[in-house]
Amino acid sequence: MFAAARKAAKDLISSLPINAEDNLNLPSQCFPEKYSLLQLYERLALDSEKQSKEASSDFREYSDKLATVLILASSLSSSSRLTRSSSDAASISNLSLWLSKVILPDEAFVLNKDGDLTLSSKRIHSGFLAKQIGTLGLRSLNLLYTINPSPTSHIPSSTIDNGILLSALAFTNDSDPWTTTLARTQAHSFLSQHTSQTHSACFLVAYLLQSAIRPLFSKSRPSTVTSSGRKAMPSSIPPKHHDFTAEQTRKPWKYEAPYSLALLEFCVENASEEIIKQHWSLLIPPLLTLLDDNSTHIRSRGLAITSLFLPKLPHKILIQSGLDSVFEEAIMPSLSWLPSLTPLGESLEILPSAYGALYVLCDARYPAPQHSTSALHVSSAFISISTSNEKEKEQVEKERKKKERLKFLDKIMRQGIFAGYSYASSYPDIVSHLVEEMGNIVARMGIPSVKHLKDILPILSTALCDSFATSHEHLLLQAVKTLQVVILNCWPRMQEEGHRNEVVKSVVVCWKSVSQEMQEKGDGAEEGKQCEDCEEVDENTLGNVRKQIAVAGRLLVKAVEGEVDMQTELAPLLAVDQKLVEDVFGINGTTRSK
């Protein structure tokens, strides 16, 4: 019945280039004049199951499945040829269940994310075919549920099988190697019709967390937590040797069901705070398992999901269960994923997620204090005494948390920024990111960050005074912006001659280097005019770097105002290059700085 369509489908598939993103479709002349949903199920879905059992290779199996799904999607697009019957509801249900099994990502995508060069050409082609199956299968699902039921059939939206929704959820994140742009659009379109079901506690907890996710992660739970998700007691037993041969059996979520990460992310993202409060123990083992994995993509994904989870977890549970220190110990090692032991691209992927997760942990661990109203008392004198005692206790607790928060940020600065810089200072892209995170930490610490000035300023000075600094404009721009943050937060110490001279040297040398580079490019005059207007300058141009240097120079002058006469201090420089001092610091030879 569909022989002509199958031949056309196979011809189209054989001519497809790898990584094609086209929305495939077969011409209507390939199909019979009339066909029913029941015939589509019997002649396509059932026959496909038989062919899968007889397939001689994975490539042949994927090719046959793609041909079948392509025929189904194309035939459903020609709705005028469909004949309706009372069995349509059952046929739609059967076709949907078959599609949900066919499109579900499998082991073909386990290694694709870290590089196709490690795979054989047949494996790469199989992965491409599987991506097309997912895209066309989701398109077919959307078409099936937009078909108007016949008068004698009824399809209640509440009866959709959870397995169908699970398969669609696997395509909701375009960072997954099996998710194309079209597939993600189709998946969100399908799921939007069933929001009440997918966001219910029954679906998120009973089905996804307990029935789907928990069995996949049960054998790979880290030793840092108990089966109930709480912090485990330290053990004197020597750690077990890692058994690489048994890893595949211990991690079915990675080698058999790689879509489990998308399911976990959907649960965390869409679960309410009340659901998290009641069922947090189901989420802890999978999250910590991802944070402990040796794959950059998986660990980075785990860090991103952790950043979604921690703000929803009640502070009391986080502290009393000991999970705050567990997450700290799980995230901190990611800061050391640096080149050359880690490829540069993977380092740049994981570092932002790691630092972001630590900031979220810091906010969840040390939230801003909330003032609670005191209970009423009979005696006004007792009220006064009780209120005074409560305020004193609150103040003591506030100071304790403040010290612990600063200690935590100190640890990130020393073990993350300074250690990372000493190890990977020869990689400009890494240095640029570390400098950016340095500014973020200084802004969070405020004035207590002055303790790190002796380490911060040399790093910034090295970046700004480098002879080849203009070859890395992004690093220059980020270093100047971080210098602004340092001056704003550590301004009392700018009065010290050593720190002040370091800043002056950095901005002057950088200004000269940038100006010279712009002149050599022949755009110095134009960029010089643009640097006066921040809205007209692109963020990655040397002109914007000069503009930001001028901001840093003026911030320094303002920081020491009333304590240091910068005009006198810069007198030797004024005598040599008055225009530079005026452009960078806003000081000229006739007007004293105010």
Side-chain angles (χ1 to χ4, degrees):
M1 184 176 186
F2 294 101
R6 187 167 293 278
K7 182 179 183 304
K10 288 187 175 181
D11 290 342
L12 178 60
I13 293 169
S14 62
S15 63
L16 278 178
I18 293 293
N19 294 329
E21 293 283 346
D22 295 335
N23 196 358
L24 305 180
N25 206 14
L26 296 176
S28 57
Q29 56 264 31
C30 298
F31 298 96
E33 288 298 324
K34 292 292 180 180
Y35 45 84
S36 65
L37 290 172
L38 180 61
Q39 289 174 323
L40 289 176
Y41 174 65
E42 291 177 344
R43 302 295 178 87
L44 295 179
L46 294 182
D47 288 352
S48 176
E49 291 179 354
K50 295 178 183 178
Q51 291 174 359
S52 297
K53 295 177 181 178
E54 298 172 358
S56 57
S57 65
D58 289 342
F59 176 78
R60 174 68 182 276
E61 182 181 354
Y62 287 123
S63 181
D64 290 342
K65 283 183 179 179
L66 178 56
T68 303
V69 176
L70 176 56
I71 295 170
L72 177 60
S74 300
S75 60
L76 291 175
S77 298
S78 303
S79 57
S80 60
R81 300 190 177 212
L82 279 173
T83 57
R84 314 310 303 278
S85 68
S86 58
S87 63
D88 282 355
S91 298
I92 290 175
S93 177
N94 290 332
L95 282 169
S96 300
L97 287 171
W98 173 76
L99 283 170
S100 68
K101 297 174 184 177
V102 169
I103 68 175
L104 204 59
D106 55 17
E107 62 274 7
F109 299 98
V110 170
L111 298 177
N112 280 8
K113 179 63 185 181
D114 291 334
D116 289 341
L117 294 176
T118 61
L119 305 176
S120 64
S121 58
K122 285 187 176 181
R123 182 74 179 276
I124 295 173
H125 204 171
S126 296
F128 164 69
L129 295 178
K131 288 170 68 174
Q132 296 297 324
I133 291 171
T135 303
L136 289 170
L138 288 166
R139 176 177 144 203
S140 300
L141 279 176
N142 275 300
L143 290 170
L144 281 172
Y145 281 87
T146 54
I147 294 176
N148 293 323
S150 65
T152 56
S153 66
H154 178 61
I155 309 174
S157 58
S158 59
T159 59
I160 185 169
D161 189 271
N162 285 332
I164 300 172
L165 296 175
L166 184 148
S167 295
L169 287 175
F171 294 86
T172 52
N173 192 304
D174 50 14
S175 68
D176 289 318
W178 56 84
T179 304
T180 64
T181 303
L182 289 173
R184 184 176 180 274
T185 302
Q186 294 284 356
H188 281 288
S189 175
F190 180 75
L191 292 170
S192 64
Q193 305 172 40
H194 309 281
T195 304
S196 59
Q197 183 175 345
T198 56
H199 287 65
S200 66
C202 180
F203 179 78
L204 291 173
V205 178
Y207 180 69
L208 282 186
L209 284 178
Q210 294 181 341
S211 300
I213 296 176
R214 190 175 186 176
L216 294 173
F217 286 87
S218 61
K219 295 181 181 179
S220 55
R221 174 176 57 84
S223 59
T224 52
V225 291
T226 64
S227 57
S228 61
R230 297 180 179 272
K231 182 178 181 180
M233 293 295 292
S235 174
S236 58
I237 301 176
K240 297 180 180 179
H241 293 289
H242 186 75
D243 188 357
F244 290 96
T245 59
E247 181 169 342
Q248 291 195 12
T249 59
R250 289 178 56 249
K251 295 183 177 181
W253 58 269
K254 182 176 181 180
Y255 294 99
E256 298 175 16
Y259 57 84
S260 56
L261 275 70
L263 303 184
L264 181 62
E265 185 174 32
F266 181 85
C267 280
V268 174
E269 189 173 6
N270 294 280
S272 64
E273 292 186 8
E274 186 61 29
I275 291 177
I276 296 291
K277 180 180 179 180
Q278 295 179 5
H279 305 284
W280 57 271
S281 59
L282 294 172
L283 291 162
I284 299 300
L287 285 175
L288 293 176
T289 299
L290 299 184
L291 295 178
D292 190 50
D293 196 78
N294 57 5
S295 167
T296 303
H297 172 62
I298 291 177
R299 183 176 285 228
S300 180
R301 189 78 170 273
L303 290 165
I305 300 174
T306 300
S307 297
L308 296 173
F309 169 73
L310 289 175
K312 294 185 176 183
L313 183 66
H315 174 259
K316 186 177 181 180
I317 294 177
L318 178 67
I319 301 302
Q320 291 184 350
S321 61
L323 289 174
D324 56 336
S325 60
V326 171
F327 275 110
E328 178 186 339
E329 293 169 3
I331 298 172
M332 286 298 292
S334 298
L335 303 184
S336 61
W337 284 44
L338 299 165
S340 58
L341 289 179
T342 304
L344 178 61
E346 294 185 16
S347 293
L348 294 174
E349 177 185 356
I350 199 170
L351 286 179
S353 300
Y355 281 102
L358 286 172
Y359 299 150
V360 172
L361 175 61
C362 181
D363 294 338
R365 203 176 189 180
Y366 311 108
Q370 297 180 352
H371 300 286
S372 58
T373 57
S374 303
L376 295 177
H377 297 280
V378 176
S379 169
S380 60
F382 186 75
I383 291 177
S384 178
I385 296 173
S386 176
T387 305
S388 176
N389 290 337
E390 286 182 4
K391 287 183 177 179
E392 186 177 346
K393 290 180 180 178
E394 286 181 2
Q395 188 63 28
V396 171
E397 182 65 14
K398 182 180 178 181
E399 290 298 323
R400 183 185 67 82
K401 288 185 177 180
K402 183 179 179 181
K403 289 180 180 179
E404 290 181 355
R405 180 176 178 275
L406 289 174
K407 184 178 179 181
F408 179 63
L409 292 172
D410 282 339
K411 183 176 182 180
I412 300 175
M413 183 72 86
R414 292 192 176 99
Q415 298 185 17
I417 305 299
F418 298 153
Y421 179 80
S422 65
Y423 183 79
S425 58
S426 59
Y427 296 87
D429 290 337
I430 296 295
V431 174
S432 177
H433 184 73
L434 292 177
V435 167
E436 179 182 0
E437 299 299 348
M438 181 194 297
N440 293 334
I441 298 172
V442 169
R444 286 173 170 271
M445 293 184 70
I447 199 167
S449 60
V450 294
K451 69 179 77 173
H452 299 299
L453 269 181
K454 58 182 175 54
D455 299 304
I456 290 175
L457 290 180
I459 293 175
L460 296 178
S461 179
T462 301
L464 295 172
C465 299
D466 186 6
S467 303
F468 302 98
T470 52
S471 301
H472 310 285
E473 296 179 11
H474 182 71
L475 172 56
L476 267 185
L477 183 61
Q478 194 56 62
V480 176
K481 288 184 176 181
T482 298
L483 181 60
Q484 296 172 6
V485 175
V486 171
I487 295 173
L488 282 170
N489 288 274
C490 306
W491 61 270
R493 290 293 178 88
M494 292 297 114
Q495 298 169 14
E496 296 184 11
E497 185 178 2
H499 296 326
R500 190 170 63 252
N501 289 343
E502 189 81 22
V503 174
V504 170
K505 180 191 76 172
S506 300
V507 295
V508 169
V509 172
C510 187
W511 179 277
K512 293 291 288 184
S513 299
V514 171
S515 299
Q516 182 179 353
E517 181 71 16
M518 290 169 61
Q519 289 175 0
E520 290 177 357
K521 289 183 176 180
D523 59 353
E526 181 181 354
E527 292 287 357
K529 292 178 181 178
Q530 287 185 351
C531 75
E532 298 174 1
D533 188 352
C534 60
E535 295 182 356
E536 296 181 5
V537 183
D538 183 77
E539 289 192 356
N540 292 323
T541 62
L542 292 174
N544 194 34
V545 174
R546 288 216 315 178
K547 177 182 71 67
Q548 297 298 335
I549 293 173
V551 173
R554 286 161 171 78
L555 282 175
L556 176 63
V557 173
K558 192 67 177 177
V560 300
E561 186 179 35
E563 299 293 334
V564 179
D565 187 349
M566 288 299 293
Q567 186 173 22
T568 303
E569 183 118 332
L570 296 173
L573 192 56
L574 272 168
V576 176
D577 195 336
Q578 181 175 338
K579 188 177 185 306
L580 182 149
V581 176
E582 184 176 353
D583 290 342
V584 177
F585 301 99
I587 298 174
N588 56 48
T590 58
T591 304
R592 300 185 67 83
S593 61
K594 297 182 180 180

